[in-house]
Amino acid sequence: MKQLKWPLFILSILLFSQSMYGQKEGVKKEFGITVGINSGYFKDINFSPLNYRQSGPVFGLNYLRTKDNKTHFGIELTAGINSLNSKVTERFKSDYYIGNLRVEYLKRISTEDKKLNWHIGGQFLSSNHFVVYEGLNGFTFNFAHSLGIKGMATCQLSPNISIRSSLSLPLLAYVIRPPYNGFDKTTAENGEKPLKLLTREGDFKSLNKYMLLEWKNQFRYKASDRLDLAFNYNLTFQKVNEDTPLTQLQNQFSISTIFKF
């Protein structure tokens, strides 16, 4: 997907700049590769009155930098090509393209329990999907760039095993939606300019107009000093309240290989 080139470039620059300074005392860095599957419910009145089932693979890259386990700075990219199917008929099968970018900064809350750590902070999330039916005979999209709050709890069950759970919610979002199912002036002029399409003709929406609730869980195993393995389960609920509402509920199961340096 063309719109993912710029965040991949930014991620590469960040990783390179971090390596220039070397490993500081108390600083830990890691890079993760994730592969998984999506399964869920999708309905966008702008696209169709039908209920759809979403399914397909998802891929992710993740960079994390922590300092004395007190601060947590992370960058995450996810992408996938899924499909939407209706129980009515296979004739309405559509392609569902995903491209997300997340940047977050969390701080640890003081606690006397050494095995349980709590972090809280903020995040920027660019959540984007594009739905296509039969070569643009029908399409819709939802591009949402939001600032939100995130809380995270990590429990160390043993020296090699930990579990982590987090919850995030947007406080303010800039949402771009097509006015109807078909080309308008904005989509026609910027069809070959994805960055402009991702940022033009949007509206600011607060929590009562746009919601993207994410519950993320990870079971992590320390395989070695340089390598961790993880199993992840994420639940996402997204809703846009307007004349053409959108509702999405997504389950994601994935595994991650995490390199520590």
Side-chain angles (χ1 to χ4, degrees):
M1 298 174 66
K2 292 182 179 179
Q3 60 264 42
L4 292 179
K5 288 185 178 180
W6 64 276
L8 285 171
F9 175 75
I10 293 173
L11 180 61
S12 301
I13 294 297
L14 284 169
L15 292 174
F16 177 74
S17 62
Q18 288 288 338
S19 64
M20 292 288 287
Y21 292 98
Q23 183 74 24
K24 296 181 180 179
E25 186 177 353
V27 174
K28 297 180 180 179
K29 294 175 284 186
E30 61 185 48
F31 178 75
I33 300 173
T34 299
V35 179
I37 56 171
N38 285 327
S39 177
Y41 167 84
F42 177 88
K43 185 172 185 177
D44 186 347
I45 296 299
N46 189 60
F47 179 67
S48 169
L50 299 177
N51 297 319
Y52 286 88
R53 183 176 64 86
Q54 177 193 348
S55 60
V58 65
F59 307 95
L61 300 175
N62 177 74
Y63 170 77
L64 177 64
R65 184 183 188 273
T66 61
K67 185 176 182 181
D68 298 322
N69 201 29
K70 293 180 180 179
T71 60
H72 170 115
F73 172 73
I75 301 174
E76 181 184 63
L77 297 170
T78 56
I81 302 177
N82 289 191
S83 61
L84 297 178
N85 294 277
S86 173
K87 290 183 178 180
V88 176
T89 174
E90 283 292 320
R91 183 173 174 270
F92 296 126
K93 183 176 180 181
S94 304
D95 295 322
Y96 183 97
Y97 298 91
I98 304 167
N100 301 328
L101 167 66
R102 182 195 315 275
V103 181
E104 61 188 24
Y105 181 81
L106 311 178
K107 245 186 141 175
R108 190 177 70 182
I109 302 173
S110 297
T111 175
E112 296 180 358
D113 191 345
K114 295 182 179 180
K115 292 185 178 181
L116 181 63
N117 290 307
W118 296 87
H119 290 76
I120 191 168
Q123 72 169 16
F124 166 78
L125 175 61
S126 179
S127 173
N128 309 289
H129 75 238
F130 194 97
V131 179
V132 179
Y133 171 69
E134 289 190 346
L136 295 179
N137 282 334
F139 69 89
T140 190
F141 54 80
N142 188 74
F143 307 143
H145 317 299
S146 63
L147 295 174
I149 187 170
K150 181 173 183 176
M152 181 176 71
T154 305
C155 183
Q156 195 71 39
L157 300 178
S158 73
N160 294 332
I161 297 175
S162 66
I163 57 173
R164 174 174 291 176
S165 184
S166 67
L167 194 67
S168 62
L169 192 69
L171 300 179
L172 180 65
Y174 183 70
V175 181
I176 299 98
R177 300 264 289 150
Y180 44 78
N181 187 349
F183 284 97
D184 66 334
K185 181 180 178 181
T186 301
T187 53
E189 290 179 352
N190 300 299
E192 299 299 324
K193 303 172 184 176
L195 289 182
K196 288 187 177 181
L197 190 60
L198 282 166
T199 56
R200 295 286 180 90
E201 304 296 333
D203 295 307
F204 285 99
K205 297 183 183 295
S206 56
L207 191 57
N208 63 323
K209 293 291 185 179
Y210 174 76
M211 177 183 286
L212 180 57
L213 180 66
E214 290 185 298
W215 181 39
K216 305 182 73 173
N217 301 276
Q218 183 180 80
F219 177 88
R220 186 160 169 166
Y221 172 72
K222 180 182 177 182
S224 70
D225 290 338
R226 295 291 182 182
L227 180 68
D228 285 2
L229 302 174
F231 172 78
N232 314 289
Y233 168 70
N234 301 334
L235 175 68
T236 302
F237 176 73
Q238 184 173 207
K239 190 172 182 65
V240 179
N241 294 314
E242 55 181 15
D243 294 336
T244 54
L246 177 149
T247 303
Q248 181 186 31
L249 180 65
Q250 179 178 284
N251 295 282
Q252 184 183 111
F253 299 89
S254 63
I255 55 174
S256 299
T257 303
I258 303 164
F259 305 93
K260 300 176 288 185
F261 54 97

